[in-house]
Amino acid sequence: MTEKSTAGQAVGRFAPSPSGYLHLGNLLSALLAWLDIRSLGGEMVFRLEDLDPARSDPAFAEAMAEDLRWLGLDWDRGWPQDPGYAQSERTALYEEAFQTLKEQGLAYPCWCSRSKRLAAASAPHPGEQEADLGCRCSRMSQAEREALLKAGRNPAWKLNSPDQDIRINDGHYGLFIQNPAREAGDCIIRRSDGVYAYQLAVSVDDMRMGITRVVRGRDLLASAPRQKWLIETLGGRAPDYCHSPLLTGDKGKLSKRLGSLNTRTLRQERRAEDVVGELAFLCGLRDRREAVSAKELIPEFSWEKVTKEDIAV
Ligand code: GLU
């Protein structure tokens, strides 16, 4: 698979999970990721994060790609035009990384409750419990593990998170230091049904797709240290991370002004330039609320203009 791009070029990505329609907050993250890479003259990749078959719907995937194009955002390689850019097609690569981690003693089987294991295929967003607090599986003896495996009980597999400070120099929020073992716990990398989980898949993909800039919502900043560590442990070079503010609040006022926060509905009522103008105003890129195309924002884009506060709407 020739996934990597020309050396030296900035490479960014859209990485949506097709579990619903895009809403305005997703559009803001996507717009900022696109402006970031286009203002650097870099390449954009579209990766479909459809790891979890039960939560992924091809109809949402099509709609997401179409909605991003409608907004004026484009990409140079990836789903759907190129094969191998949907996570559901990439299991062999996750398997290989998983075996490497296992061989290095960095993964252990876990037999804790099912619900936590099922949630693990998706990215952890605020309020979602990630660590299996109280899980004792890492301390099981080899004999105990073998007995459970022999009894036919399929385990999930967890990452032995590093007990060390990992430093992220976030392009927007500055220095972020986290000790993953203490502050995030051991995350699941493979569910008991064999589905690979978010932290592993996203790290393998960013590494193998040659991504050099990860721009996404601030709620995933806490995942960046593990991803950086995983990529480096697997022999790759971690991208630069640059997180963006989130849209928060009950969204009542904003949906009144725009008609809806759901892109599908929004599209019927507003032009793309109105939506881009609203987003540019909300995040601080422009000081007036006026229609503008995504392309027109490229030459004036700068992270310094973008607010660090979440945007209550
Ligand atoms: N697929 C994830 C989501 O939609 C984003 C993952 C990432 O950007 O790292 O929440």
Side-chain angles (χ1 to χ4, degrees):
M1 202 180 298
T2 53
E3 292 187 289
K4 292 219 177 186
S5 81
T6 336
Q9 193 181 23
V11 185
R13 38 70 149 195
F14 298 124
S17 302
S19 54
Y21 291 119
L22 294 174
H23 57 76
L24 203 65
N26 304 128
L27 295 189
L28 174 63
S29 310
L31 175 65
L32 291 171
W34 186 84
L35 287 173
D36 176 84
I37 218 67
R38 292 303 184 217
S39 65
L40 293 169
E43 187 191 27
M44 199 66 187
V45 171
F46 187 113
R47 173 168 80 233
L48 189 67
E49 301 221 322
D50 59 347
L51 271 182
D52 190 345
R55 289 199 192 184
S56 304
D57 182 335
F60 288 136
E62 300 280 350
M64 284 173 155
E66 209 190 288
D67 290 347
L68 292 179
R69 282 196 209 99
W70 168 80
L71 199 67
L73 312 186
D74 59 354
W75 51 100
D76 308 291
R77 59 184 163 107
W79 193 88
Q81 72 265 32
D82 302 309
Y85 283 86
Q87 291 188 324
S88 55
E89 302 168 74
R90 301 173 62 80
T91 310
L93 298 172
Y94 309 142
E95 175 69 29
E96 192 185 313
F98 171 61
Q99 292 305 336
T100 306
L101 294 172
K102 249 167 87 172
E103 280 157 23
Q104 294 183 22
L106 293 172
Y108 63 88
C110 167
W111 281 272
C112 290
S113 85
R114 188 171 174 271
S115 60
K116 290 173 191 153
R117 277 173 271 148
L118 285 182
S122 357
H125 290 288
E128 287 171 12
Q129 173 76 49
E130 247 200 290
D132 224 344
L133 301 170
C135 164
R136 292 170 182 280
C137 297
S138 66
R139 279 168 286 181
M140 261 184 205
S141 69
Q142 202 48 34
E144 275 177 285
R145 283 182 184 152
E146 268 157 32
L148 283 167
L149 285 171
K150 253 202 202 123
R153 290 191 54 197
N154 268 349
W157 286 81
K158 278 183 153 180
L159 181 70
N160 233 326
S161 279
D163 188 1
Q164 73 193 63
D165 283 350
I166 313 273
R167 299 164 74 87
I168 298 288
N169 261 316
D170 188 84
H172 193 45
Y173 288 96
L175 184 62
F176 175 69
I177 304 177
Q178 185 196 60
N179 176 315
R182 290 180 200 182
E183 293 165 55
D186 291 347
C187 57
I188 284 158
I189 51 175
R190 192 180 125 123
R191 299 192 325 202
S192 60
D193 58 3
V195 170
Y196 286 97
Y198 168 72
Q199 303 289 2
L200 179 74
V202 85
S203 305
V204 168
D205 289 344
D206 284 339
M207 176 174 91
R208 310 239 0 175
M209 292 178 180
I211 304 298
T212 67
R213 297 196 54 87
V214 168
V215 179
R216 59 186 175 193
R218 190 181 68 77
D219 49 342
L220 288 170
L221 178 56
S223 291
R226 272 168 291 174
Q227 293 169 8
K228 176 181 184 210
W229 178 82
L230 266 168
I231 291 174
E232 288 171 354
T233 301
L234 293 168
R237 192 180 160 176
D240 292 329
Y241 293 93
C242 193
H243 288 81
S244 55
L246 304 175
L247 287 186
T248 60
D250 69 10
K251 303 187 173 86
K253 270 189 287 173
L254 191 63
S255 50
K256 237 185 228 154
R257 195 160 58 242
L258 288 174
S260 172
L261 297 184
N262 173 329
T263 314
R264 288 273 110 170
T265 331
L266 198 58
R267 282 181 58 170
Q268 291 161 13
E269 291 151 13
R270 289 288 184 273
R271 294 175 309 156
E273 288 79 6
D274 296 325
V275 176
V276 172
E278 181 75 33
L279 290 171
F281 172 72
L282 286 173
C283 76
L285 278 179
R286 286 216 147 173
D287 46 25
R288 275 185 305 143
R289 195 173 253 135
E290 61 191 356
V292 62
S293 70
K295 219 173 180 171
E296 284 172 279
L297 289 174
I298 299 174
E300 59 189 78
F301 177 73
S302 146
W303 279 106
E304 271 166 30
K305 295 182 191 165
V306 178
T307 177
K308 291 195 173 60
E309 307 293 319
D310 284 345
I311 304 159
V313 289

